[in-house]
Structure formats: C-alpha cells, structure tokens
C-alpha cells in the first residue's frame, strides 16, 4: 500500500480559495440607497430583471431589504423594467 506522501495524481489538485462575501454597504459606509440611481441598482438584478438573493450578492439582511424597496420604487417610476430579455 502506498504511503500518503507517495500518492501521485494525474492532474494537479488545486484547491481554489473563494473570496469571502461582504456587505458592500457596511464596508463603504452607505446609509441611504437611492432609487433614482438605476445603474447602481442594476448590480442587484439579473439579466431577466429579477432580484439577486443575499447569498449571491453578499448583502446583509438590513441592506438587502433596502435594496428591494429601492428596486420596487425604481420599477414603479419606470426607471427599471419589471421583466426584460437582456438587461445588461
């Protein structure tokens, strides 16, 4: 039987280290999310116009709720579409 330090692999065994997610609002000190800034809000919606979840964006619960309210207001004001084919 092979000893642990003698094991050879056909391909290299790379362990990719993922970057830790962080809340960009806490890091940058943003207190107010402006619903009129459509370009900023586009970062939180996907190509079909749906909101991205917290587990993908890394936002905290407090700021994810504020982003959701801002996106809803922007949609009502026709700054962002409700549904689209290719937004970005």
């Amino acid at each position: 039987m092979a000893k642990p330090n003698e094991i050879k692999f056909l391909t290299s065994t790379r362990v990719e280290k993922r970057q830790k997610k962080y809340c960009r609002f806490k890091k940058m000190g943003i207190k107010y999310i402006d619903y009129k800034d459509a370009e900023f809000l586009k970062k939180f919606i996907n190509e079909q116009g749906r909101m991205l979840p917290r587990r993908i964006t890394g936002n905290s619960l407090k700021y994810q709720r504020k982003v959701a309210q801002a996106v809803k207001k922007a949609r009502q004001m026709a700054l962002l579409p409700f549904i689209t084919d290719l937004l970005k």
Side-chain angles (χ1 to χ4, degrees):
M1 185 162 180
K3 294 178 183 169
N5 57 356
E6 294 177 359
I7 296 175
K8 306 278 191 226
F9 295 99
L10 295 176
T11 59
S12 64
T13 56
R14 264 195 276 171
V15 178
E16 294 182 16
K17 195 172 187 181
R18 295 180 67 190
Q19 279 191 336
K20 185 167 172 63
K21 288 186 238 171
Y22 60 92
C23 180
R24 69 181 81 193
F25 299 105
K26 285 183 180 178
K27 187 172 183 178
M28 295 179 188
I30 299 172
K31 300 284 184 202
Y32 176 72
I33 300 168
D34 192 14
Y35 68 92
K36 293 173 268 182
D37 191 3
E39 291 301 317
F40 180 70
L41 293 176
K42 281 183 184 178
K43 296 177 186 175
F44 301 101
I45 57 177
N46 65 6
E47 294 84 22
Q48 290 86 27
R50 298 179 68 189
M51 288 279 303
L52 290 173
R54 283 180 56 209
R55 61 185 163 81
I56 294 175
T57 60
N59 293 339
S60 64
L61 180 62
K62 174 182 174 182
Y63 288 105
Q64 182 70 15
R65 286 179 181 152
K66 288 184 179 185
V67 167
Q69 289 297 322
V71 168
K72 288 176 186 178
K73 274 187 181 181
R75 285 176 176 163
Q76 289 292 323
M77 300 293 285
L79 300 173
L80 288 176
F82 283 94
I83 300 172
T84 183
D85 289 335
L86 292 171
L87 183 65
K88 296 179 182 178

